[in-house]
Amino acid sequence: DSGPWGAGEGGEAKAKERGGSSLSSFPDVGYPEPEAAKVEALHRVLKHKDYMLKANPMPKEVADPALRMALARMMRMTPAMTTAQGKDTKETMMPTPTKTATTGKPPSTPMPPKGSDAALRYMRDRVNVPRDMSAHAARQLRAALEATAALAGEGQGPPIPTRHRRDQNPGAFGRLGRA
């Protein structure tokens, strides 16, 4: 059994008819990605940015600029950059540089701070659907977080706990977290 989108029910063929592969089309969502998915992700992150940075195990001085870079990258990415034959890759996630008006040369890609790979992957692994945002918005955010983390290195955030989920404590977010 390949699940609801497997070959048994023609899921792969249906996904290709919609212009993607079964990995990139979210057949379980049942609707195409809205144009506002990135804006939704941006809005939700900006609304809770301070809490996200507080919950992150990396220092704010590392996580904040890296998160800003990831959000800027997300807003520049096109669908072709986020999915290449159903697989997210570093190469497809990098926007094609354009020439700057002042120098006539492609701009250099800014590098995230050292250690931000773990901070960004920590955030990527803890985006929750539907609590935080829709599935399509979360997919866009996760792709941008991973692409930016890949520039910084291969470091991973702390593993998600299996005995408890105190890393998801709602007290750290919103009014409950204020002292």
Side-chain angles (χ1 to χ4, degrees):
D1 181 23
S2 300
W5 52 86
E9 296 182 24
E12 184 71 28
K14 290 177 187 175
K16 288 188 184 207
E17 288 173 14
R18 291 189 303 265
S21 75
S22 62
L23 296 175
S24 65
S25 61
F26 278 138
D28 51 329
V29 172
Y31 59 92
E33 180 172 321
E35 289 186 29
K38 292 179 196 177
V39 174
E40 176 192 353
L42 179 65
H43 168 74
R44 299 298 293 170
V45 170
L46 292 177
K47 181 177 181 180
H48 298 290
K49 176 181 73 76
D50 293 333
Y51 303 116
M52 291 172 64
L53 294 172
K54 185 177 178 184
N56 199 302
M58 298 302 290
K60 182 179 179 181
E61 297 75 27
V62 171
D64 186 36
L67 179 59
R68 291 170 187 264
M69 288 179 68
L71 293 174
R73 176 178 302 281
M74 177 182 67
M75 297 310 290
R76 289 190 314 259
M77 288 188 324
T78 65
M81 292 175 187
T82 58
T83 305
Q85 299 176 356
K87 295 181 182 179
D88 293 334
T89 63
K90 292 180 202 176
E91 293 79 21
T92 59
M93 311 265 303
M94 305 301 169
T96 304
T98 57
K99 295 179 180 179
T100 62
T102 55
T103 65
K105 298 179 183 177
S108 62
T109 302
M111 296 302 289
K114 185 176 181 176
S116 62
D117 47 353
L120 292 169
R121 289 187 176 111
Y122 178 88
M123 289 182 243
R124 177 205 63 194
D125 293 343
R126 285 158 178 84
V127 171
N128 188 304
V129 173
R131 181 197 68 196
D132 298 332
M133 60 190 72
S134 72
H136 291 295
R139 180 173 172 261
Q140 290 290 337
L141 177 60
R142 287 181 184 130
L145 290 169
E146 178 54 36
T148 307
L151 291 174
E154 299 295 323
Q156 298 294 318
I160 295 176
T162 56
R163 292 186 175 262
H164 65 78
R165 287 308 309 268
R166 290 195 264 296
D167 65 321
Q168 296 287 306
N169 180 4
F173 293 85
R175 292 184 196 168
L176 295 175
R178 294 184 187 149

